[in-house]
Amino acid sequence: MFMNLVNRVRHSWKLQHFLVKYCSYYHLRNLYHYRQRYFFSTIEIETINYCTRRCPWCPMSQYEREKKHMDPSLYRKIIDELSAMRFRGWIDLFLYSEPLLDPNLSEWIRYAKQRCPHALVRIDTNGDPLTLEKLRELLTDGLDSCLINQYGAKVTPRVQQILDALNPSERSRVHLKIRHDHELGNNRGGLLDHIEKVDTLSLPCVNPQVQFVIDVDGNAVLCCDDFLSQVVFGNVRNERILDIWNKPDYHCARQALARGNRNINDLCRKCNGRIDPTSRFLNALI
């Protein structure tokens, strides 16, 4: 019954929103583990910053960036700090990138699982570079969840063949998302000019309450929609994650957004996100 509840929460943003706003267990758990009522349940680490695709719902389709890899010493510093705080949430090894292009991905997964045994490691891939051998290697390394995106409302025969070859234990950690070309999602803080522009919304956004986002250069940005790293609260190269999280301006931004005030910066002012994007909010149930 408990796992059924967990699975329902995984797939229902309404339940996630309820937990974020009203679940006292979430607050008590954070107080117990991190000595704070609000704490991120997901950390997103952009280990590389390039991709194989230029999807219309992604800023990659309109902006060019110099290809970069995260400094290995910086990655280890991040993971070591998570280990010291006994982090129990999700470690996402992607942002605006195709993680399977990272030649160090296996090493990153092993290091994260070794240093943070209570955390869960996840990647989100478009499936283009995926092979059965590579997927099994990553699962053996300790990958807890792999989301494979498929496009044009169908699964390619190659990806279906990979899925069919997995044993039940492997398949339980591999998930599929079918994307339709007309489903463009949000405008990424106004960066995507072909997606709906809106007057400033007065809707709460709890995304920054539950996620900590680090770009390839080590900048701690406001949320996963900040493709250009416009709203930066610090850099984990020379600051601790906890020190950045507890900065007064970062705290005030999170509280303002949770109350529905999106006038705090241009990124939030132009954002058309209408629901709380808290699909990674599983900290209270892990």
Side-chain angles (χ1 to χ4, degrees):
M1 181 177 295
F2 176 75
M3 289 309 301
N4 287 338
L5 175 60
V6 171
N7 289 328
R8 286 182 62 193
V9 173
R10 287 179 188 270
H11 297 96
S12 171
W13 69 265
K14 291 183 178 179
L15 282 174
Q16 294 157 10
H17 180 53
F18 172 81
L19 285 170
V20 171
K21 293 192 70 175
Y22 304 112
C23 184
S24 60
Y25 177 61
Y26 162 72
H27 298 134
L28 291 173
R29 183 184 175 88
N30 282 342
L31 285 169
Y32 177 76
H33 288 297
Y34 310 116
R35 304 298 185 264
Q36 300 186 46
R37 186 182 179 195
Y38 292 100
F39 202 77
F40 54 90
S41 58
T42 296
I43 184 166
E44 298 190 14
I45 307 172
E46 188 179 47
T47 63
I48 62 172
N49 70 341
Y50 53 93
C51 188
T52 58
R53 290 182 176 247
R54 296 294 181 268
C55 300
W57 51 79
C58 176
M60 283 280 195
S61 63
Q62 296 189 21
Y63 297 86
E64 291 294 330
R65 298 195 293 182
E66 176 189 357
K67 287 185 178 181
K68 294 181 180 180
H69 293 77
M70 179 171 281
D71 185 334
S73 63
L74 175 57
Y75 176 82
R76 294 189 182 96
K77 177 181 182 293
I78 294 168
I79 298 300
D80 289 346
E81 289 188 23
L82 295 175
S83 175
M85 67 178 75
R86 296 177 59 84
F87 183 65
R88 309 180 75 87
W90 289 99
I91 299 175
D92 288 354
L93 301 182
F94 62 92
L95 188 54
Y96 290 100
S97 60
E98 170 47 58
L100 293 179
L101 298 178
D102 188 342
N104 297 316
L105 183 59
S106 286
E107 180 183 347
W108 299 158
I109 293 171
R110 290 194 299 270
Y111 192 76
K113 294 301 292 184
Q114 174 192 353
R115 299 288 290 140
C116 303
H118 302 291
L120 299 174
V121 179
R122 172 170 52 191
I123 65 169
D124 191 329
T125 174
N126 60 32
D128 290 349
L130 187 67
T131 64
L132 177 61
E133 292 75 19
K134 183 62 176 178
L135 181 55
R136 280 185 164 152
E137 176 189 338
L138 297 177
L139 294 173
T140 301
D141 291 331
L143 185 67
D144 295 288
S145 178
C146 176
L147 176 65
I148 304 174
N149 292 279
Q150 292 289 271
Y151 307 90
K154 62 181 179 182
V155 181
T156 65
R158 181 181 61 82
V159 169
Q160 188 60 59
Q161 186 176 16
I162 292 173
L163 295 175
D164 291 342
L166 298 175
N167 63 46
S169 175
E170 295 168 333
R171 187 65 180 85
S172 67
R173 290 184 280 163
V174 179
H175 314 283
L176 194 65
K177 182 174 183 178
I178 308 297
R179 286 186 173 272
H180 300 264
D181 293 338
H182 63 276
E183 296 176 350
L184 296 178
N186 71 59
N187 62 16
R188 302 297 181 183
L191 287 182
L192 299 179
D193 52 18
H194 61 285
I195 299 180
E196 177 190 21
K197 290 185 173 62
V198 295
D199 294 329
T200 303
L201 299 177
S202 298
L203 294 176
C205 176
V206 299
N207 213 28
Q209 294 271 18
V210 297
Q211 68 174 197
F212 191 90
V213 183
I214 302 172
D215 73 12
V216 71
D217 293 315
N219 294 308
V221 300
L222 178 61
C223 84
C224 58
D225 285 335
D226 194 355
F227 176 78
L228 297 178
S229 299
Q230 301 175 73
V231 185
V232 177
F233 292 98
N235 191 294
V236 296
R237 285 184 183 276
N238 45 43
E239 297 176 85
R240 295 195 315 148
I241 292 172
L242 281 177
D243 291 339
I244 297 174
W245 178 258
N246 290 320
K247 284 185 177 181
D249 56 343
Y250 198 177
H251 175 78
C252 289
R254 295 195 300 267
Q255 292 301 308
L257 290 169
R259 293 192 298 267
N261 177 12
R262 299 198 183 189
N263 278 305
I264 60 173
N265 56 60
D266 283 342
L267 184 78
C268 300
R269 217 172 352 256
K270 297 175 181 177
C271 181
N272 72 337
R274 285 185 167 82
I275 64 172
D276 298 320
T278 57
S279 61
R280 302 176 187 89
F281 176 69
L282 292 171
N283 189 39
L285 295 177
I286 295 173

